[in-house]
Amino acid sequence: MDNRFILGITGASGVIYGVRLAEELLAREFEVHLIVSNPARVVLAEELGWDIEQEVVAACRQGIRGCFENGLFVYENHEIWAPPASGSFRVRGMIIAPCSMSTLAGIANGLSANLVQRAADVVLKERRPLIMVPRETPLSAIHLKNMLELARLGASIVPAMPGFYHKPQSIQDLVDFVVGKVLDLLEIDHDLFRRYEGGSSSGIKN
């Protein structure tokens, strides 16, 4: 259980966050049980150039670096019979990155219409860590209400809002900042960004 995570990639912009997180977890020899929604496959093609005509397992194994033997397990979202749908499938936690507003709403309202929703429902009921990385702007009152409800249920909401105090030089730096924040919540050591160490207060007025 201690080396196993569920990772959902859903149909919001920012699929690179999920792919990069998978790479970082695999590099540390964790098992990654990846669930890819149908809308996510379209975004993977649009944003990363993945061939969605391929069988999804082959596409993920080709697109995600560092897949050590037996480390990456891939499911499609309709496979409601897959292991992550069961509470007896013990995991260290689940991350949804990026998390679409549709997925967020479904989980907040207890739906289990697909594997991502069911796996998240199981993680919540078993009181295991659930981390959601929403990527949407602006946010409506409905979006905010659903995030508040999930936070009250124990989920961690990590909006894809990169910081700039570490002076990013590339898109990769911005992605790594958000992925690093997720790893922090999972209590996994990393050096994906330079941590804030305080600054000069000279010249600053109240």
Side-chain angles (χ1 to χ4, degrees):
M1 179 187 71
D2 289 342
N3 73 331
R4 180 187 291 166
F5 289 98
I6 300 170
L7 172 61
I9 296 181
T10 62
S13 182
V15 288
I16 186 61
Y17 293 113
V19 171
R20 186 74 178 98
L21 179 59
E23 292 172 350
E24 287 297 313
L25 292 174
L26 289 166
R28 291 162 175 76
E29 299 192 352
F30 291 108
E31 281 187 14
V32 175
H33 292 258
L34 175 63
I35 308 168
V36 181
S37 72
N38 282 336
R41 295 179 70 172
V42 176
V43 183
L44 285 163
E46 289 291 325
E47 295 187 351
L48 300 183
W50 286 22
D51 183 2
I52 61 171
E53 297 303 321
Q54 293 187 64
E55 192 259 342
V56 67
V57 175
C60 290
R61 288 195 172 276
Q62 181 177 342
I64 297 174
R65 296 173 298 176
C67 298
F68 67 94
E69 186 177 1
N70 298 325
L72 180 67
F73 301 81
V74 184
Y75 314 94
E76 297 198 59
N77 211 15
H78 68 271
E79 295 182 288
I80 200 69
W81 56 85
S86 172
S88 64
F89 185 71
R90 300 190 67 190
V91 297
R92 185 163 166 174
M94 178 175 181
I95 312 97
I96 306 175
C99 182
S100 68
M101 293 300 103
S102 174
T103 298
L104 188 90
I107 297 168
N109 288 279
L111 301 183
S112 294
N114 54 52
L115 186 56
V116 169
Q117 290 179 1
R118 173 57 185 168
D121 187 64
V122 166
V123 166
L124 284 173
K125 79 181 181 68
E126 299 291 333
R127 299 186 182 277
R128 299 169 189 155
L130 174 62
I131 300 173
M132 314 182 81
V133 183
R135 215 305 310 160
E136 184 63 87
T137 192
L139 296 169
S140 74
I142 295 173
H143 301 153
L144 294 168
K145 176 177 70 70
N146 288 333
M147 289 183 199
L148 178 59
E149 180 62 27
L150 284 164
R152 285 172 170 164
L153 292 171
S156 295
I157 309 298
V158 185
M161 296 177 179
F164 291 87
Y165 57 79
H166 61 303
K167 297 181 174 58
Q169 301 298 307
S170 65
I171 291 176
Q172 187 68 58
D173 290 341
L174 297 173
V175 171
D176 281 354
F177 182 89
V178 174
V179 171
K181 288 294 186 179
V182 173
L183 293 176
D184 282 350
L185 285 173
L186 296 172
E187 299 184 344
I188 296 173
D189 291 336
H190 67 87
D191 57 358
L192 293 183
F193 59 83
R194 181 178 60 81
R195 298 187 181 278
Y196 182 70
E197 297 176 351
S200 171
S201 61
S202 61
I204 298 177
K205 298 181 179 179
N206 292 330

